[in-house]
Every structure is written in C-alpha cells, then in structure tokens.
Amino acid sequence: MSVLDDNIAKLDGYLARFRKTGILNRIAGQDAAGSEGVFQTVSPVDKSVICDVAQGAASDIDAAAQAAYAAFADWRDMPATQRRNILIRIAEGIEARAEEIALCECWDTGQAYKFMSKAALRGAENFRYFADQVVQARDGQHLKSPTLMNITTRVPIGPVGVITPWNTPFMLSTWKIAPALAAGCTVVHKPAEASPLTARLLVEIAEEAGLPPGVLNTVNGFGEAAGKALCEHPKIKAIAFVGESRTGSLITKQGADTLKRNHLELGGKNPVIVFDDADLDRALDAAIFMIYSINGERCTSSSRLLVQDSIRAAFEAKLIERVNSIKVGHPLDPETEVGPLISQEHFDKVTGYFDIAGQDGATVAAGGETVGDEGFFVRPTLFTQASNDMRIAQEEIFGPVLTSIPFSTEDEALRMANDTAYGLTAYVWTNDLTRALRFTDKLEAGMIWVNSENVRHLPTPFGGVKASGIGRDGGDWSFEFYMEQKHIGFATGQHKITRLGAL
C-alpha cells in the first residue's frame, strides 16, 4: 500500500463518526444542533460531501455567549498555574492527535499534507508558548511619583469572539484561542464555514484536557448570520478576526454599537524585492516558497515579485522552470506541493485572473490553467511583463499566482512596494546592509524579513498596516488585546489636597 492509500484509509476512519453524526455546535460543554438546520462541507479534492454541519445563527450565538459569560469569573479567578497546566494538556492532546488533525485539514481545505503535517504541531506550540506566559500575564509596573506609589496590572477583558479563516484553520484557531485562554478570557469560536472539521477537534481536545464547560464554545454557521450576531452581542467584549479586509471593515461596523475592541488580521499584496546584489539562488527559493506553498492561500504570501531589471531575465527564466516543476496533486500524497483550492467560489475567483492578466497586457509565463475536472485544481501560475498598476498587482488573488514586475532603482522599488492598499508583510533581498536599513525604514508593512522567507517567532508582533489590519498578535501584544490595563495609585503620605467649599 502506498503512503497515499494509507493516508486515505486512515482519513476514512477519522471521518466515519462525522459522516454518521455530522458536526454539531459545542456550547457549555454540550453538543447542540443548529437553529438553522445543517449545511454541508465539501472536499475540494473531488467535490464530495464530507458531512453535515450544524448551521448556527443568532440564537445559537446568544446561547454560546451566555455560556462564556457564565464561565468567565471562575476561569478568570482560577490560579494561574492551574490554567497553565490545562493549556499544557491541550498542547499534549493536540500532539497526540496530530495525524488526525492534519489528514482532516487536508481533506477539508485541499492543503497539502507536506505542510499540514506540521500545522497541528505548530498549534500545540502556540498553546505551550502562551501557557508559559500565563503566570506573568497580569504583571504590571511600579511607576513612582512624588506623592503616590503607582502600580499597573492587567485583567482579562471578558468573553471574546474568535472568527477564523479557512486556509490553515487549525493553526490560526490556536493562534487566537491560546492567548485568549491564557489571559483568562472565555471564548466563542465561529470557524469558517468552508473548513469546520478541525475546530470540532480542537474543542474536544480542550475539554478532554480539563477545560471547564463554557470556557471554549464553538458555533458553526455563516458570516451574515452567526458572524454578525457574534460581533453585535453585548456580552462579547472583543472580536479577534482573520480574513478579508472587506469583512474586517464590516466587523468593525457591526461591533460599533457595543464598542467592541477588534483585532483584525486582514489581507495582503506583499512584495518580495530582489536587488541585483542579493544571493539570487536563496531569493529564488524563498520567493517560490512564499507564494506557492499553502496553495498560495495565505495572507503573508509574496504575491508581487519586484526584481531589478539588470537580473530580471535570468531570474525569471529560472523561476519559470521551477514553477513548471511544482507537483500538483492529491493533498494526502506526501509528494504533493500544491493541492486544490478551497471551493468553487474561490476557484472561479483565482482562475478569473488568468483572463484579467491577458486583458491588462501581462504574459502568462507559467501555469494559467486548471487541472482535471474532479476538484478545484489549478497549475501554479506566473505573470510577467506586468506593471504595478495592473489588477493582478493590486488585488489579492489568494492563490498560487505570482506577478513579476521589474524595477530599475531603489527609489522606484520602494515606490512600487508601497503603492498598494495593503501593508502586511514585505521581503527584501540584498547584501547591502545600509540599503536594507534605508529600505525597511520606509517600507509600509507591519512585518518585514531581510534575506529570509517568513520565519515566525512567537514572541514578535504579527500584524499589518493600512488595509491589512489593526492590532498585533504574538508575545505580550496578544495579552494587550485580551486584557485591560488597570492603574492603582497608593498615597505614600498626606500630600496636599485642594479643599473646595471649606471655610
């Protein structure tokens, strides 16, 4: 039996219970049907129905929010070391079920096992990291003044809503939920409707690890009903969202009446800038990895290649050869590098840019084709002869599609890099240190890597500027979002108090 056949057989075993019972909501430690009935989740591999999913709406969100509110005080007041131990056990539970998580995620999203086999372990790492921060999360400062001993502390903000996307759903769910739980918040999680499987696995693992009922609640459903109700609910104090910039704007509007705190991790049209003095082989490897891995379906992908014109022809020639050699195939095959796109809707969006590129005057130098007719497969695609004002250079395609744009000077590269509505990440390749310092100082991006692909370090801030979002995740920045600052001043003597109305 091949590895692919073995993975398919294992997946069938993992999915058997979902095919029988469907995926139910989980509220206050109990399974719950959806008030709107069910919807079906479909595999992008062959367009087959995976299972029914409970379709929640406002009443389901209300029940979950009430459960999170009821559980909040006890979770907040639980000794920090006890909460830490629960989070560690969640990490251990994730590691124990890493294969199940990875295979389900591949089938539900189309992501290649080559990458998803590590995603579950990254989720465990998120829980371990934030578990280690629990004890000092509420630590503050001592800010002495002439008459007062001023201290600061932090307290959890309360029940929060977490809305996660479909591209790497398990890892991104842990990236939001782990720090919320570590801070002492309770959570209502609304997963993306296109990829609900592993959200169910996460809440099961958490409860098996000893997480009290109501601390993590999962409600499936669509954004216009369940998502809207979560953003508007008065008992939900904050919303952590990962997804499209347009949806992030809508979430801000929906939470305005209840003065929601929002953390929005949104889209990107990220440049990778390659100067002629760079290590070109490493730059080529990194540029390819950051756009074609994860099917190009990630916000930090390097979807615009700005390459200096003196090396453009040679660099693009190597790029075309490599792109044409990327293996497209079944996501459960360990050799596959690019799997199918998530859905029919997204497949239509991505393939639509093949015609748009030609209409704008760009050249389809590689790919630009669909693969087969069973699932939502496309060939990795490269557009050349492009300019930065084309739609393929300005709009987030969110697929395995790279647009190559030449530049002549450092100033021109900087202008083009910043000439977009987005500002999430940027990647700079040069061996000139002073140029790197100058260039990164003026780049409009929340995260920048020099001579590197995106290498995530959990204590560092993650987030963007402009249309790419508001707020930062990672390290203490996560706690700044999920917690409220509190100042307490203690008089150190009998300082003068102005007396009003005294005779």
Side-chain angles (χ1 to χ4, degrees):
M1 179 182 288
S2 69
V3 176
L4 172 58
D5 291 336
D6 187 45
N7 282 343
I8 291 173
K10 290 176 180 177
L11 175 68
D12 285 340
Y14 293 136
L15 293 180
R17 65 188 180 104
F18 291 138
R19 290 168 176 153
K20 183 177 179 180
T21 65
I23 295 176
L24 296 168
N25 296 328
R26 190 73 177 174
I27 300 172
Q30 300 292 322
D31 286 338
S35 60
E36 298 295 310
V38 299
F39 65 94
Q40 293 180 324
T41 184
V42 174
S43 175
V45 180
D46 59 4
K47 305 179 187 177
S48 64
V49 173
I50 300 174
C51 65
D52 291 337
V53 184
Q55 184 172 336
S59 61
D60 310 271
I61 290 292
D62 180 61
Q66 298 292 348
Y69 181 78
F72 172 62
D74 286 345
W75 181 247
R76 175 197 63 197
D77 297 338
M78 181 182 289
T81 52
Q82 191 174 341
R83 281 191 286 114
R84 177 185 181 275
N85 290 339
I86 292 174
L87 297 185
I88 291 295
R89 289 199 296 271
I90 294 174
E92 292 170 347
I94 291 170
E95 289 163 349
R97 297 174 68 175
E99 181 184 71
E100 177 184 5
I101 292 165
L103 293 176
C104 288
E105 192 117 296
C106 291
W107 193 247
D108 207 16
T109 67
Q111 295 291 350
Y113 187 76
K114 181 183 185 72
F115 303 109
M116 289 304 100
S117 61
K118 302 170 186 175
L121 298 179
R122 286 189 62 195
E125 183 183 351
N126 288 335
F127 269 95
R128 287 188 184 278
Y129 173 80
F130 285 108
D132 286 341
Q133 312 303 310
V134 164
V135 175
Q136 65 263 38
R138 299 183 188 182
D139 286 352
Q141 300 180 59
H142 175 199
L143 305 168
K144 189 176 181 181
S145 67
T147 60
L148 295 172
M149 180 179 71
N150 299 285
I151 64 170
T152 68
T153 186
R154 291 188 296 200
V155 295
I157 193 172
V160 299
V162 173
I163 303 175
T164 49
W166 46 254
N167 50 339
T168 52
F170 187 83
M171 193 280 292
L172 288 172
S173 295
T174 64
W175 181 229
K176 299 294 184 183
I177 292 170
L181 297 180
C185 297
T186 53
V187 176
V188 177
H189 180 203
K190 207 295 279 183
E193 58 270 18
S195 57
L197 288 182
T198 55
R200 173 65 191 202
L201 299 182
L202 178 59
V203 72
E204 289 177 358
I205 291 168
E207 291 182 2
E208 290 167 2
L211 194 72
V215 175
L216 173 59
N217 308 273
T218 303
V219 178
N220 295 285
F222 294 86
E224 55 268 26
K228 180 174 183 289
L230 184 58
C231 294
E232 293 177 348
H233 202 284
K235 281 189 164 57
I236 298 297
K237 302 303 179 184
I239 296 290
F241 170 74
V242 184
E244 288 185 307
S245 300
R246 179 178 53 188
T247 308
S249 176
L250 188 60
I251 284 172
T252 302
K253 295 172 185 175
Q254 290 169 346
D257 288 345
T258 52
L259 299 177
K260 286 282 190 299
R261 178 183 295 182
N262 291 309
H263 178 259
L264 306 174
E265 183 185 323
L266 307 178
K269 193 67 180 178
N270 311 297
V272 52
I273 304 106
V274 181
F275 288 95
D276 58 10
D277 67 335
D279 183 331
L280 299 182
D281 289 336
R282 288 181 59 79
L284 182 69
D285 287 342
I288 291 170
F289 175 78
M290 283 308 304
I291 184 60
Y292 297 113
S293 62
I294 318 293
N295 296 352
E297 295 170 326
R298 60 170 156 188
C299 56
T300 57
S301 66
S302 54
S303 52
R304 286 186 299 155
L305 169 64
L306 306 183
V307 57
Q308 198 152 23
D309 51 12
S310 56
I311 58 169
R312 180 193 62 80
F315 196 86
E316 286 183 349
K318 291 181 179 179
L319 182 59
I320 292 167
E321 181 180 2
R322 289 278 297 278
V323 173
N324 284 330
S325 299
I326 292 173
K327 180 174 173 55
V328 180
H330 197 293
L332 298 185
D333 183 344
E335 299 300 315
T336 291
E337 295 171 314
V338 171
L341 301 178
I342 183 71
S343 66
Q344 182 73 59
E345 179 183 13
H346 191 57
F347 176 83
D348 292 343
K349 173 192 171 182
V350 171
T351 56
Y353 281 96
F354 300 164
D355 291 334
I356 289 170
Q359 294 164 7
D360 284 353
T363 297
V364 181
E369 299 173 342
T370 62
V371 180
D373 56 9
E374 283 193 352
F376 305 123
F377 293 86
V378 299
R379 293 205 180 282
T381 296
L382 171 67
F383 300 138
T384 60
Q385 304 297 319
S387 60
N388 202 58
D389 58 350
M390 293 180 179
R391 288 180 61 187
I392 56 173
Q394 291 293 318
E395 298 176 8
E396 186 179 37
I397 300 173
F398 213 66
V401 180
L402 176 62
T403 300
S404 180
I405 306 165
F407 70 87
S408 297
T409 65
E410 182 180 322
D411 287 344
E412 184 184 16
L414 181 66
R415 177 184 59 77
M416 288 196 296
N418 290 338
D419 184 20
T420 175
Y422 299 101
L424 186 58
T425 68
Y427 307 87
V428 181
W429 285 86
T430 179
N431 281 320
D432 184 333
L433 176 61
T434 58
R435 168 190 279 157
L437 291 169
R438 284 193 309 271
F439 205 84
T440 56
D441 184 58
K442 291 183 171 60
L443 264 178
E444 296 171 355
M447 298 172 287
I448 303 168
W449 282 266
V450 178
N451 296 334
S452 176
E453 79 283 28
N454 176 342
V455 179
R456 185 79 188 100
H457 184 47
L458 292 176
T460 60
F462 187 104
V465 300
K466 302 193 292 189
S468 289
I470 299 170
R472 296 294 183 270
D473 276 322
D476 207 49
W477 285 273
S478 291
F479 291 128
E480 287 295 325
F481 176 71
Y482 290 114
M483 304 183 86
E484 293 279 20
Q485 283 283 353
K486 184 182 289 188
H487 161 257
I488 308 164
F490 295 90
T492 55
Q494 293 187 340
H495 60 275
K496 181 180 179 180
I497 302 174
T498 302
R499 302 180 70 205
L500 301 181
L503 297 178

